[in-house]
């Protein structure tokens, strides 16, 4: 009897193996994706950090404009900037063993970049001179609104000079549209582009952290004013934002250098740098004071929330690997059709923007709730 049962099980498994082996690449890929999605759904259902993930989703659901903003910036960067999604041929996409390592590397780099640049900063950096002009006028008119002390004359003059430099840079950018400038002018334009792109990264990340703080601890019953309150708080931290922009300029230049070199140690050091300072924009947004003190606070945030952030990182990596694979598969399928590509590009940007916003908001809530003795409201 036992031998008959054993023989029956062997026959059943052999039949299953034959059916699985006879599946086409499309069927095997669809089954793998389905299993991955079901496993991820169950994982999120009983995730120890599900409260943070749920709260982040609620915030995102109430503020869908954030997703549209991020998706629009991604589309602009893909059309007019240097941002390009990694493309894989269809045959390579079907071979999971060859794709899993580059996908994991891309997902880790993407995850490390999220705390510093959720929104693609170029070409949105072109609005920074106008923002600086608004800040300069408001500081000159209401100096005590944006700091505990009245800004000194040298600070006002520096801010005014930097604003004028910003508009001169925009003039250089406009002059290069019809023709190339001389080599010296092109170098100046490129250098200023990196500076104002770094300012865009710093300002937008601090604003986003202040936006989450305003949602967590509202000072006004009108939730529609959260974005304006976050902008005012970001203006009040303009000096710390400038120091954060200097840090962002370092990793932007490092990344540009690394992209022109063979993949190697430089990429992993760049990722490690971004992960170590992941809480720096949060500290600038939540803690008043000088930048050195905010850097120390950022390291304490990471130490206090290290284990939850590690658990969150595992989940985020799984979600990003799945989304990047689906994005690469979609681009490969419509590579030969211009109308389908026109549909695929905005859809792809919208889905990835939704995932990026959800993951970053979850990470911000983790750092704000666990990285401080109590949630900051300052």
């Amino acid at each position: 009897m036992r031998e008959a049962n054993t023989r029956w099980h062997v026959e059943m498994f052999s039949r299953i193996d034959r059916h699985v082996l006879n599946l086409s690449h499309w069927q095997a890929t669809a089954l793998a994706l389905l299993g991955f999605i079901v496993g991820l759904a169950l994982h999120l259902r009983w995730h120890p950090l599900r409260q943070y993930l749920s709260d982040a989703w609620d915030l995102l659901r109430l503020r869908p404009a954030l997703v549209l903003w991020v998706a629009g910036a991604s589309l602009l960067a893909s059309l007019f900037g240097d941002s390009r999604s990694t493309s894989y041929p269809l045959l390579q996409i079907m071979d999971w063993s060859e794709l899993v390592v580059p996908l994991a590397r891309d997902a880790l780099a993407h995850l490390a970049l999220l705390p510093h640049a959720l929104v693609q900063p170029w070409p949105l950096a072109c609005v920074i001179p106008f923002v600086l002009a608004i800040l300069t006028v408001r500081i000159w008119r209401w100096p005590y609104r944006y700091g505990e002390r009245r800004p000194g004359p040298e600070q006002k003059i520096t801010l005014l000079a930097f604003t004028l430099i910003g508009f001169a840079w925009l003039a250089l950018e406009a002059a290069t549209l019809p023709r190339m400038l001389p080599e010296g002018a092109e170098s100046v334009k490129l250098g200023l582009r990196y500076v104002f792109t770094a300012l865009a990264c710093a300002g937008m990340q601090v604003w986003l952290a202040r936006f989450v703080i305003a949602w967590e601890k509202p000072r006004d019953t009108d939730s529609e004013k959260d974005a304006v309150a976050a902008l005012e708080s970001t203006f009040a931290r303009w000096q710390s934002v400038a120091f954060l922009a200097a840090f962002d300029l370092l990793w932007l230049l490092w990344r540009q250098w690394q992209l022109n070199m063979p993949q190697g140690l430089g990429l992993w050091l760049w990722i490690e740098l971004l992960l170590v300072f992941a809480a720096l924009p949060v500290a600038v947004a939540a803690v008043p004071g000088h930048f050195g003190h905010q850097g120390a606070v950022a390291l304490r945030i990471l130490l206090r929330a290290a284990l939850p952030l590690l658990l969150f990182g595992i989940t985020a990596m799984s979600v990003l690997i799945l989304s990047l694979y689906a994005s690469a598969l979609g681009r490969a399928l419509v590579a030969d059709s211009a109308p389908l590509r026109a549909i695929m590009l905005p859809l792809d940007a919208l889905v990835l923007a939704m995932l990026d916003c959800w993951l970053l908001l979850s990470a911000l809530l983790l750092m704000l709730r666990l990285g401080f003795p109590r949630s900051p409201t300052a």
Side-chain angles (χ1 to χ4, degrees), residues 95-151:
D95 192 347
W96 288 73
S97 61
E98 291 187 8
L99 202 60
V100 63
V101 173
L103 275 179
R105 183 190 62 230
D106 292 345
L108 184 58
H110 191 90
L111 180 62
L113 189 59
L114 276 183
H116 304 280
L118 169 67
V119 182
Q120 290 287 347
W122 177 256
L124 287 183
C126 293
V127 305
I128 292 298
F130 298 96
V131 176
L132 287 175
I134 295 172
L135 175 62
T136 302
V137 170
R138 294 176 76 85
I139 284 180
W140 279 67
R141 291 190 63 183
W142 303 289
Y144 291 105
R145 178 180 292 184
Y146 302 110
E148 296 179 358
R149 300 178 181 178
R150 182 186 182 92

Side-chain angles (χ1 to χ4, degrees), residues 224-292:
E224 299 300 326
K225 296 181 179 179
D226 288 348
V228 177
L231 182 61
E232 288 288 320
S233 299
T234 304
F235 279 171
R237 289 161 170 77
W238 66 273
Q239 297 182 60
S240 295
V241 171
F243 282 108
L244 180 60
F247 169 79
D248 290 344
L249 181 61
L250 291 178
W251 66 255
L252 279 170
L253 294 174
W254 187 349
R255 180 58 171 167
Q256 186 62 34
W257 170 80
Q258 186 269 326
L259 286 174
N260 296 323
M261 300 293 290
Q263 295 286 348
L265 184 62
L267 172 64
W268 299 108
L269 291 177
W270 180 78
I271 291 174
E272 184 177 352
L273 173 73
L274 294 184
L275 290 175
V276 168
F277 292 96
L280 191 55
V282 177
V284 171
V287 180
H290 58 85
F291 189 69

Side-chain angles (χ1 to χ4, degrees), residues 294-305:
Q294 291 166 340
V297 170
L299 293 179
R300 285 200 297 269
I301 292 173
L302 286 182
L303 289 176
R304 288 170 179 162

